[in-house]
Amino acid sequence: QVQLVESGGGLVQAGDSLRLSCAASGRTFMGWFRQAPGKEREFVAAISWSAGDTYYAVPVKGRFTISRNNAKNTVYLQMSDLKPEDTAVYYCAAKYSNYGASQSANYHFWGQGTQVTVSS
């Protein structure tokens, strides 16, 4: 069983930066997803165990950076130039395989989520 605990969410202004953390046990492929009110959960970014492969959704590419520190069992999502449309609950997720990074159905374990609110 992989346990995931997110932290780092909060209320920021447009243009600000924020870093989310996810404490993760186990040797897994990790992803970040988000869900805004009234919308479906969507893929944000993902990273392989070795950190050699990273994946980003188009709306966040160039603004968000996913990274991991396996010695600390932690995955990070550095978010820059935040926009009001980035407002959502952000979830980290884990899976054992390396395929289908952007499909939420491929992830076996999920955190409880952390709220990110970006004001204009």
Side-chain angles (χ1 to χ4, degrees), residues 7-120:
S7 61
L11 172 63
V12 297
Q13 293 186 333
D16 284 352
S17 298
L18 200 62
R19 188 177 78 163
L20 304 183
S21 300
C22 176
S25 62
R27 185 185 177 100
T28 56
F29 186 102
M30 297 295 298
W32 284 96
F33 290 77
R34 66 187 182 186
Q35 188 166 19
K39 295 187 177 181
E40 293 188 353
R41 189 171 299 186
E42 64 175 2
F43 170 72
V44 176
I47 187 168
S48 61
W49 165 256
S50 67
D53 296 306
T54 56
Y55 308 83
Y56 295 94
V58 170
V60 307
K61 200 167 187 177
R63 299 188 298 122
F64 291 11
T65 302
I66 189 170
S67 62
R68 67 191 301 163
N69 183 332
N70 290 336
K72 295 185 177 182
N73 291 328
T74 303
V75 176
Y76 304 98
L77 184 68
Q78 178 68 48
M79 305 184 291
S80 302
D81 190 23
L82 282 161
K83 305 176 186 299
E85 51 264 41
D86 295 318
T87 295
V89 177
Y90 283 71
Y91 299 90
C92 68
K95 63 187 181 76
Y96 294 115
S97 65
N98 287 336
Y99 66 85
S102 63
Q103 285 88 49
S104 60
N106 292 330
Y107 289 80
H108 312 298
F109 308 101
W110 292 83
Q112 81 288 352
T114 185
Q115 177 71 46
V116 172
T117 303
V118 184
S119 63
S120 58

